[in-house]
Structure formats: C-alpha cells, structure tokens
Amino acid sequence: MSSLLIWPIALPLFGSLMALVWPRRADAIGLASSIATLVAAMLLVGRVAEHGMIEHALAGWEPGLGIALRGDGLSTLLLLMSAIVALVAGFYATGYFRNADLKAHFWPLWLMMIAAIHALFLSGDLFNLYVTLELLGLSAVALAALGGTRAAVAAALRYMTIGLVGSMTFLAGIVLLYTAYGTLDIPSLAERVVPQPAAWVALVLVTAGLLIKSALFPLHFWLPTAHANAPAPVSAALSALVVKATFYLLLRLWTDVFDPLVTMEAAMVVGLLGAAAVLWGSWQAWRAERLKLLAAYSTVAQIGYLFVFLPLLLAMPDGDARDTLFGALVLFALTHGFAKSAFFLGAGVILQYAGHDRIAELGGTARALPVTTFVLATAGVALIGLPPSGTFLAKWQLISSAIVTGQWIWLPVVAIGSLLAGAYIFRVLGYAFAPGDRAGPVLAIGQEEIPALLLALIATIVLGFGAAMVWEFLTPGLALGDSVR
Amino acid sequence: MNLSTWLPVLILSSSLVPGLVIFMLREESHGLRTLLNLAGATIKLLLVAVMIWGVFHEQVYETRWTLAPGLDLVLHADALSVLFVTLSTILWLVTTVYAIGYLEGSPHRSRFFGFFSMCVTATVGIALAGNMFTFIIFYELLTLATYPLVAHKGTPEAVRGARIYLTYTLSGGVLLLIGAVWLRTIAGPLDFVQGGILSDYALDPDALRWIFVLLIVGLGVKAALVPLHGWLPQAMVAPAPVSALLHAVAVVKAGAFGIVRVVYDVYGVEYAAELGVLTFLGAAAAITIVYGSVKALSQDKLKKRLAYSTVSQVSYIALGTAILGPLATIGGVVHLVHQGVMKITLFFAAGNYAENLGIHRVSEMDGVGRRMPGTTLAFTIGALGMIGIPPIAGFVSKWYIGLGAVSAGEAFWVLPVLVASSLLNAAYFLPILYRAWFRPPPDRWPAEVPQTGRWEISGALLWPPVITAGLALAAGLFAAAPYSPLEWAEIITLREYRS
C-alpha cells in the first residue's frame, strides 16, 4: 500500500490536465480532484500514523536511478495542510473568479502548483526536488500574474526572476553534491556527506537558494508585492503553502543531509536573520496602508519565527525536549498556514465588497461584514499568538526552549514581535469597528465567507485544542501533559 | 466521567453556549436573546450552588485536557475559585438584567451580549483555572472578549480607549507569559496548590524574585497597580454595564485574583515572605491605594472619579495579600467580593444618572436624591461602604486588613495607609452624597427622560443597584453567618495556612 504516496501528486496533476482540455467544466473538475486529493492525503496520514515512514520506488526502479517517494510525519502533515487549504481556497475561488476565462486559466495552474507542492513534500531525491521546485515556482508566478493588472504582472515578473536565481543557486549546490558524492538520493547522501570544502560550498549554495525562495529577511523584498497583488485565493496559497514548502525543504536538508556540517554559528546567523524578519516584517505590516500588503508583510514576519526555531533545535540535545520543540515548529507552520490563508480570503471578501482594501477606509466593515470581521479577528488571534490558537502553544515552547538553552536573546524578539502583531491586527479591527457610511446586510454569510471562516477556526480552535495530536503524530510515544517535568 | 469532572465544564458552557447562539441571532429577536441570557445566568447560578456545596464538603472537581507536551488545560475548583465564580455568576445575572434595560433600542445588541457572555466565560475560566497555563489562556481570552465591549460605541473616542486598553493588557500579557514559562521550566507544572508549591524545591531565589516581578507586573496591568493603571480611566468610554462589570468582576478583579493565586497557590505566602518579595507587592499596593484616592479627589466626571476609586480599592486585595498572616489574608480575599458588590452598585447608579437625567459630572448632581431616591440610596450605601463605615461590607475588609497588619508585627506602616485612604475616600465620596441629598435640585436636568412608569426609572435599571446595595449591606451585617463571603474567606485562609 505504499503506492498511497503517488495519489496526492497524481490526482491534482491529472485534474490539471483535465481542466486544461475541458475548460468549461474547470470548476467541477478542479473541486473533484481537490476533494480526491484531500482524501488521498488523509489516507496517507492515517497510514503513516500506523506504520511510521513509508517509501515507494516509482515503477520499481531503485533509489538513485528512478523516482523515489518518501513520506514521514513531517512531510505528510504539511501535505495534509496543503490539501485542506487547496480545497477550501479552491472552493472560494469558484466564487471569486466571476469570469469563465479566468477560471479556465486558474484551475490548471492551481492544480499544477498543488501537485508540485505535494511532490516536493514527498520526493526522496535532490534532483526531483529541484524539478518540483521549478514547477512550483513557474506555476506560482503564472498564478500571481492572473489578476492581469500592471502591478500584478510587474510583481510576478520580479517574483519569477528572483525565483529563478534561487533555483539556479540551489541547482549549483546539488551539482556540487553529485560530483562530490555520486548520488542525489537523500538517505545515501546523508551517509556520505562529511565536513569538507565541497560539502561546505554545497551547503551554502543550497541554503542561499532556499532562503531566497522562503523570503527570509533581507531576501524577502520580492514577497510583499507578489503576494499582495495576486488574486486572493492565490495569495492565500502563496503565503500559506509555497513559502512553507521551501522552508520545509531547508529544514529537511539541514537535518538529514547536512546534519554533520551545520554549526551553531550557521544556525545562529539564520536565527538572527529570522529575528530581524520578525521585527521588520511586523513593523512594516503595522505601517502598511492596504490590508493585503499587511498580510504579506505579516508572512515575512511569521516565516522569521520558523527560522528562529533552528538555533534552538540545534542547541537542544536529542530527546523529548527536542522532539517537543520540533513539534512546536511544525505546529507553528501549520497554524500560520491556516490562519494566513483565512486572512487573505477574508481580505479578498472585503476587497470585492468595498472595491478597495485601504485599511484607513474600512469603517463600517464590522457592521456590513460581521462574519468576515470575525474571520480577520480569529485568524489575527493565531497570527499574534494568543490563546487558544496553535501558535500560542508553539510560542510557549519556543520561549521555554530559549530559557532552557540559555538563548535569552530570542525572548525580546518574541515579545516585541507579538506586540507588533497585536498592533497591526487590532489596527485593522479598530478601523473595522469604526462607523462607516456603508451599512450592509446584518449577518449574511456569503458563500465566500464560509471557506475563510473554516480555515480561521482550524487555526485557532482545532489546532489549539487538538495540538496534542500533532506531537503524537510526529513523535509517537512522546510524553504529553503534565507528566513532563 | 461523572459530575465531578463535568461540573467545571458545564459551568463554563452555561455562558459560552448562550453567547455563541446570541452571536447568530438577528438583531430583532429581543425576546429570545433575553431568554438565552437569563436562562444561561440562572443555570450557571444553580450549577455554582452545587459546586459551593461540594467544595465545602471537600469534594474534588477537576477536568483535564492535554494540549501539548507538559501543558494541560486544567479546570479545578477549590475554595478560592468558588468564591470568585460565585461573585461573577451573581453579578453577571444582575448586570445582564441591567444591560437589557440600559441598551434597550440601541444597535448591535446581539454583538454586545455575545461578547458579554464571552467575557463572563473567560472570567469564570480564570476562577476555575487549575494551573498557571490555564490561567493565562483565560486571562488572554478575557482581553479579547472585552476589547469589542470597550470599543462598542464605535466612536473615535471609544476606539481610542479600546486601543489603549489593548496596548496595556497585551504588554502585560507578554510579561506574564514569559514569567510563567520561565517558572514552568524550573519548577515543573504549576498546578495551583493551597499553600504553594515552590518551597518544596531548592530553586535559585534570585530567579524566583525576577519571575515574581514579571508575574506581578503582568497581572498588575489588569489589576491597575500604579503606574500600570493608565488604561482604566480611558476605558470608561464603554457603556455603563460594561464599566460596571469590568470594575467589579471581570478585568480588574481578574488581575487581583491572579495576584492572590500567585502569592498563595504558587509561591506560598510564607515562602514569598521568606524571599522578601511581599514587600515589593505591599509597597506597590500601598502607593496605588493612596495615589488612586488622591487622583479621584480632583475628578469632576463621575465615572472617572469612580474609575480612580477602583484603582485604589482593588489594591486592598493586593495589600491584604502582601501581609503575612491569616487575618490580612481574610481581609484581602473577602475584599475580592466586597469591592465587587459595592463598586458595581456605584456604576449602576452612575449609569442611571447618565441615562435618565444626562448627569455625567459630580457638579451636576445637586439634589439628585430627591429626583431619584432609590438609585441615590443604593449609591449612598455603596459609597459609605467604600469609605469603610460599618456595618457595610467595606468595613469588614478594612477591619481585617488592619488587624492583620497589627498582628503581623512588621506591617505597622499599613495602618497610616489605611487611615489616609479612608479619609481620602470620605473626602471624595461625602461631597457627592451631600450634593445629592442636601442641595436643592436645579430647575432642569441636563437631559431628562420624562418619567413614565411607577418608579424613577425603569425597573430593569432600578432593581440591579438596589439589589447589589442590599448585598453589600448584607455581606457586612451578616458577616458571621454561614456561607457569607467572610465565612468563606475564612475557609480559604484556613486551607491556605493548613498545609
């Protein structure tokens, strides 16, 4: 049954082709294949929960020659998030795009991107990873330009150029590894990589390429315009999934392949860049004039948190405490994925309703769109890291690890970052509560509000109260609850 | 699964579920909303009655839900939580009646009552929290639930007040969080245990002192300890029922309750005294008591004067907590209840003056006692209680704190603080009473609503202050009766010092 690994990739890919040849049925095809993908992802997660890591060699070729697929706790959990967000945001898109032409363009690209993300999560060798990375980058660029406005196209072009630079750098690193060690299969590489110049340079190149793509400060400059100018469902996927996919890759390579090479200093550098991203991104989000730009800068900040986890992970000795921190990192990424996609969808609703998303002119929104305001608030709770969201639990563990390992420097970063996040979220809510000239229907739940609400509730309620499941899934047997001292 | 695990959850749900339903109600479904509100409050009261009986007989009520490695959501009922739960439940019922009358015909009532229920749910959660982690969850939820209530009117002033409120409370929350996580890393799960837990481990006293400061500063924001009180006068823009609830039970009291929890059930009062941190808390409380009273003197706006009076009065709880010895403990703990009942009366009355006659300032209150005798009588009882005149509840608290200070030996400095504060209280309350009862009324009130019913104002606005004033009087008169707040505070104290 290890062929379960194929379906989360094959189904959206197949859907993408179908939507391409049958554009008039694009909505139905897209939704059907998204639902099927989600089912496949759930089956896969169930399988991994039962058996641990599973592997599959496509067409029976041995790893090293053929395409090897691998799924473990980390990758399948992220894959499940991606399948859920893809389905829900896709459902939202059916109402968002009113124009049949746009729909016909949207669905093939969208499903292609989802297939690429899933392939990235499940690939077991570096060359395939490079291919998925390119596929992902190109489909994401095309989606970002879908709005067709001048700003969107310009931002998308910039996004593409930067993305190419990133993948070229990544490719150079891979080539170096191949010449030095003669394989691109991750487990075999992990056995062979030793500290030596070639490996060092490869580490630097691969890391730099992925940092560009994950928009870590100061390489984030392309992200805000690209994410803010894309259509709302696309922004949701770009912020929630695409950046996270490249972060996942970095995490995987650092822990699996380059484990013997990664020094505390290197991790510290990345962590400090992450801290700068937290502060700078939150500050820019607070100053942003438009709602979607605010959300995009908030992504810059939240990605920063993920990198702050790295030096702490490195400093933790193997054991329960490290597993706990690792789980917190994953929980943080998941919660942000759901919360940010909800936020972007909510912003899209406002944009369509009001015709603009200028924050200072949001007066009356709370009255006209109470559900959307609630979505922004609920997703905002998760972005700030307040209870009961999953981010709150993750931040608790982050602070705890910072104290235990003596890396006190992260405490003010988390504190100030959270307060700034509070400032930018409640700035929006403050304007939304102000009276406005636009009085709308009271409590009408629109079709496009349900998906946003669903994602926000997953981030704040499900991942908060059900967080123990994440840890249990990642590390079976990890002691939970107050028994831990 | 039986009653002892489900009761805390049921008590939370009895306000959470009606609140969630109310959010979804149409604005016009007035009757259903009222029914839900009152049904929820009544059910909660009944459930709390069961819990009081059980805790009195040393039953254990506990619910546990694992959230993360090392982190359990624990709802646990001990004598102290029951005291606070009872206070919030009774005052929620009364305030709901008042709010229904107060907001009649105004917009966004579904939103208002929804968040109102959330606010009570968070407060009850704070009361029932069985460890520091759970406490923080509900403490932050309270911030989130009260923000829309403060911003409710949507005016620039209201939004600004809400923003200031949020800035203070979120900052405090971050410090509290860091303190709690730090303590968790060195001391393990921070279950609230009567008598404290920290003295059992050999921990670095300096770290414990720093953590104490972090926790108290974090809690002090909501408890309005000077200089962290700046948000409180600004938050006065909220509608009167919100101010009443905020000052009597919800926000301010949550901070004070947290301080009591940290000192007694985390550090243990004796160990805290050993560490020398009680002096810090006592000094902060004493400064706040005097400062708040002095500021209240010069306020002409009635609600602002009451706000500064809250700043001062709530710190009696912290003061009682900061003095080692059972008598002061009794005084501090019982003041949790007494201050709540008295202050809510004052705010109800202030709301009535504003609603009925358009009176917002002390200088406009001449002769108001003749126009609105019932409201003014309630106000008088509340004000006299605040000053500490027997037999009203406030006297009992001050008496025990004073006794505690004398018997503790080293805390003689508390007596001048108590005396000065009482004099100041008299100085800012008595002139109001004099104006209200003895000055002639003006020819016309600032904005009078013509009297239509039998009483000076509609029953939904008149009865709540009268009832709470009655409670304040009863809590003083029958202080020695079984199940009185004082009696209950004695039980709590007995259990704190027993271990």
Side-chain angles (χ1 to χ4, degrees):
Chain A
M1 280 299 286
S2 59
S3 57
L4 265 180
L5 285 166
I6 301 168
W7 295 112
I9 306 168
L11 286 169
L13 201 59
F14 181 66
S16 167
L17 296 175
M18 290 290 285
L20 199 61
V21 294
W22 215 352
R24 280 173 51 213
R25 294 268 177 278
D27 270 355
I29 294 168
L31 287 179
S33 77
S34 301
I35 292 172
T37 311
L38 178 58
V39 172
M42 285 158 77
L43 289 175
L44 181 60
V45 165
R47 181 91 186 152
V48 171
E50 232 170 278
H51 297 273
M53 193 180 91
I54 52 175
E55 284 186 88
H56 183 73
L58 265 192
W61 291 88
E62 285 306 303
L65 286 171
I67 295 178
L69 297 179
R70 245 178 231 110
D72 62 1
L74 171 65
S75 55
T76 52
L77 209 51
L78 288 170
L79 188 132
L80 181 62
M81 165 182 83
S82 151
I84 296 175
V85 172
L87 172 60
V88 177
F91 176 70
Y92 172 89
T94 57
Y96 183 87
F97 294 114
R98 308 260 157 84
N99 173 332
D101 262 6
L102 270 181
K103 278 186 189 178
H105 291 303
F106 168 77
W107 276 110
L109 289 169
W110 174 264
L111 293 170
M112 178 68 76
M113 180 180 76
I114 301 303
I117 293 174
H118 292 183
L120 189 151
F121 285 143
L122 298 179
S123 282
D125 91 30
L126 283 176
F127 185 72
N128 293 334
L129 281 173
Y130 166 71
V131 174
T132 59
L133 210 54
E134 283 292 16
L135 201 59
L136 173 58
L138 291 175
S139 47
V141 166
L143 281 168
L146 208 57
T149 61
R150 207 185 156 79
V153 173
L157 271 179
R158 192 148 72 138
Y159 182 23
M160 183 169 76
T161 320
I162 296 300
L164 283 177
V165 172
S167 26
M168 283 307 129
T169 322
F170 180 74
L171 183 63
I174 294 180
V175 170
L176 208 58
L177 281 177
Y178 189 68
T179 41
Y181 301 106
T183 181
L184 287 173
D185 181 53
I186 291 181
S188 342
L189 265 179
E191 285 167 20
R192 299 183 204 176
V193 167
V194 283
Q196 69 179 74
W200 284 105
V201 178
L203 170 65
V204 171
L205 287 172
V206 166
T207 307
L210 291 175
L211 289 188
I212 293 177
K213 284 190 165 269
S214 338
L216 179 64
F217 179 92
L219 304 170
H220 69 284
F221 51 89
W222 57 270
L223 184 145
T225 48
H227 287 197
N229 288 307
V234 175
S235 313
L238 291 181
S239 259
L241 309 179
V242 177
V243 233
K244 223 135 292 161
T246 47
F247 174 79
Y248 158 81
L249 198 49
L250 186 75
L251 183 67
R252 177 108 294 174
L253 295 181
W254 271 37
T255 48
D256 286 1
V257 177
F258 295 112
D259 192 35
L261 275 74
V262 176
T263 57
M264 197 60 217
E265 287 77 15
M268 253 342 213
V269 169
V270 176
L272 284 172
L273 289 179
V278 168
L279 300 176
W280 176 251
S282 308
W283 174 253
Q284 287 296 321
W286 185 58
R287 297 188 22 153
E289 279 168 14
R290 289 177 40 220
L291 194 53
K292 286 181 75 183
L293 196 62
L294 176 148
Y297 270 113
S298 152
T299 299
V300 171
Q302 302 276 329
I303 291 292
Y305 280 112
L306 298 178
F307 284 96
V308 169
F309 274 93
L310 294 181
L312 290 167
L313 269 180
L314 204 67
M316 279 276 185
D318 278 348
D320 276 359
R322 188 177 184 280
D323 292 338
T324 302
L325 184 64
F326 188 75
L329 167 61
V330 177
L331 182 63
F332 194 100
L334 294 175
T335 316
H336 172 251
F338 288 110
K340 187 50 65 61
S341 47
F343 200 90
F344 264 120
L345 297 190
V349 173
I350 291 180
L351 193 62
Q352 287 202 322
Y353 173 82
H356 70 85
D357 66 342
R358 289 183 292 279
I359 295 168
E361 295 167 33
L362 286 180
T365 309
R367 183 180 313 185
L369 297 167
V371 177
T372 299
T373 312
F374 180 74
V375 166
L376 295 187
T378 316
V381 163
L383 295 178
I384 305 171
L386 286 173
S389 69
T391 352
F392 170 70
L393 298 171
K395 275 191 183 169
W396 180 294
Q397 304 290 3
L398 179 67
I399 297 173
S400 177
S401 310
I403 293 172
V404 169
T405 55
Q407 298 184 19
W408 294 87
I409 174 176
W410 311 121
L411 291 188
V413 174
V414 175
I416 297 170
S418 304
L419 287 177
L420 281 172
Y424 66 70
I425 292 296
F426 280 97
R427 178 166 160 257
V428 173
L429 294 179
Y431 280 115
F433 268 105
D437 33 313
R438 212 184 312 269
V442 178
L443 250 190
I445 293 197
Q447 186 207 326
E448 65 278 10
E449 285 181 311
I450 299 171
L453 183 63
L454 196 65
L455 293 173
L457 289 180
I458 292 180
T460 307
I461 306 293
V462 177
L463 282 176
F465 287 102
M469 284 187 300
V470 171
W471 273 285
E472 244 161 37
F473 181 69
L474 287 171
T475 324
L478 179 68
L480 291 165
D482 268 356
S483 50
V484 183
R485 250 220 81 177
Chain B
M1 282 296 175
N2 49 32
L3 189 64
S4 64
T5 54
W6 277 106
L7 192 58
V9 181
L10 288 176
I11 289 184
L12 273 186
S13 319
S14 60
S15 51
L16 179 68
V17 174
L20 292 177
V21 178
I22 286 171
F23 273 128
M24 291 176 234
L25 287 184
R26 299 170 61 80
E27 199 57 33
E28 304 89 70
S29 32
H30 181 73
L32 184 56
R33 194 168 48 227
T34 308
L35 179 73
L36 276 168
N37 266 322
L38 294 181
T42 314
I43 292 173
K44 193 189 279 289
L45 202 57
L46 293 176
L47 292 170
V48 169
V50 175
M51 185 176 263
I52 294 178
W53 183 88
V55 169
F56 185 75
H57 293 91
E58 309 226 7
Q59 278 258 12
V60 177
Y61 296 107
E62 190 172 275
T63 316
R64 221 167 243 279
W65 174 256
T66 296
L67 285 184
L71 299 174
D72 276 353
L73 188 74
V74 182
L75 298 173
H76 178 99
D78 60 13
L80 184 60
S81 27
V82 165
L83 186 79
F84 197 34
V85 168
T86 315
L87 175 74
S88 8
T89 305
I90 292 178
L91 294 190
W92 180 42
L93 179 59
V94 182
T95 314
T96 303
V97 173
Y98 185 83
I100 290 169
Y102 188 87
L103 292 175
E104 199 152 359
S106 70
H108 306 312
R109 274 177 289 169
S110 280
R111 189 174 85 194
F112 179 88
F113 282 106
F115 281 117
F116 208 65
S117 303
M118 293 301 123
C119 177
V120 172
T121 309
T123 311
V124 170
I126 287 174
L128 290 174
N131 60 18
M132 209 57 209
F133 172 68
T134 315
F135 180 88
I136 288 181
I137 288 185
F138 286 107
Y139 193 76
E140 297 294 344
L141 283 178
L142 181 62
T143 307
L144 293 176
T146 39
Y147 170 80
L149 292 177
V150 177
H152 182 72
K153 288 178 191 159
T155 57
E157 211 192 350
V159 171
R160 183 173 162 270
R163 196 179 63 225
I164 294 173
Y165 167 64
L166 205 70
T167 312
Y168 272 89
T169 44
L170 284 184
S171 311
V174 167
L175 294 181
L176 178 66
L177 177 68
I178 291 180
V181 177
W182 188 359
L183 194 56
R184 172 72 182 77
T185 61
I186 60 175
L190 302 170
D191 280 359
F192 295 139
V193 176
Q194 278 153 352
I197 46 173
L198 294 185
S199 56
D200 301 348
Y201 315 121
L203 298 171
D204 173 18
D206 277 329
L208 289 182
R209 285 188 196 109
W210 277 111
I211 292 168
F212 190 84
V213 172
L214 280 172
L215 296 178
I216 294 299
V217 171
L219 295 164
V221 170
K222 278 208 174 105
L225 283 178
V226 173
L228 311 167
H229 66 287
W231 61 273
L232 189 63
Q234 303 291 336
M236 293 282 59
V237 295
V242 175
S243 306
L245 202 68
L246 244 64
H247 283 250
V249 265
V251 176
V252 187
K253 214 45 84 60
F257 182 78
I259 293 176
V260 174
R261 274 289 190 213
V262 165
V263 171
Y264 287 106
D265 296 340
V266 176
Y267 276 73
V269 66
E270 275 142 359
Y271 189 58
E274 216 173 286
L275 286 173
V277 288
L278 289 185
T279 326
F280 158 73
L281 179 61
I287 292 170
T288 308
I289 288 174
V290 175
Y291 176 86
S293 299
V294 171
K295 284 289 279 189
L297 272 180
S298 58
Q299 305 298 323
D300 187 34
K301 279 196 173 162
L302 183 58
K303 278 180 88 180
K304 282 242 162 127
R305 188 174 291 197
L306 293 181
Y308 278 108
S309 154
T310 302
V311 170
S312 163
Q313 288 282 339
V314 164
S315 278
Y316 278 107
I317 301 165
L319 184 67
T321 308
I323 303 167
L324 180 65
L327 289 171
T329 305
I330 293 174
V333 168
V334 80
H335 202 56
L336 267 175
V337 175
H338 288 168
Q339 188 271 350
V341 179
M342 295 185 297
K343 190 38 77 58
I344 209 164
T345 311
L346 294 173
F347 270 106
F348 284 156
N352 283 359
Y353 294 140
E355 193 67 355
N356 209 27
L357 304 176
I359 292 177
H360 294 280
R361 295 173 178 280
V362 173
S363 50
E364 294 163 346
M365 289 180 67
D366 289 354
V368 76
R370 276 178 236 176
R371 174 68 179 75
M372 301 177 69
T375 303
T376 312
L377 186 66
F379 186 90
T380 308
I381 293 178
L384 292 178
M386 285 292 180
I387 301 171
I389 296 194
I392 306 165
F395 164 74
V396 179
S397 329
K398 286 192 183 177
W399 175 255
Y400 272 91
I401 295 175
L403 273 186
V406 175
S407 65
E410 294 161 18
F412 269 110
W413 56 272
V414 171
L415 287 183
V417 172
L418 284 179
V419 172
S421 155
S422 296
L423 288 177
L424 286 165
N425 291 346
Y428 65 77
F429 272 130
L430 290 183
I432 302 181
L433 301 185
Y434 173 75
R435 274 175 188 276
W437 291 115
F438 299 109
R439 290 266 190 101
D443 297 334
R444 49 191 295 267
W445 303 99
E448 185 173 6
V449 179
Q451 183 172 349
T452 48
R454 196 169 142 200
W455 288 299
E456 60 202 54
I457 193 165
S458 75
L461 296 180
L462 177 62
W463 290 114
V466 170
I467 290 172
T468 51
L471 288 175
L473 197 57
L477 273 178
F478 306 111
Y483 290 97
S484 76
L486 181 67
E487 191 82 349
W488 200 261
E490 281 169 6
I491 294 175
I492 294 169
T493 310
L494 201 67
R495 293 184 184 175
E496 293 296 349
Y497 285 86
R498 178 173 61 187
S499 42

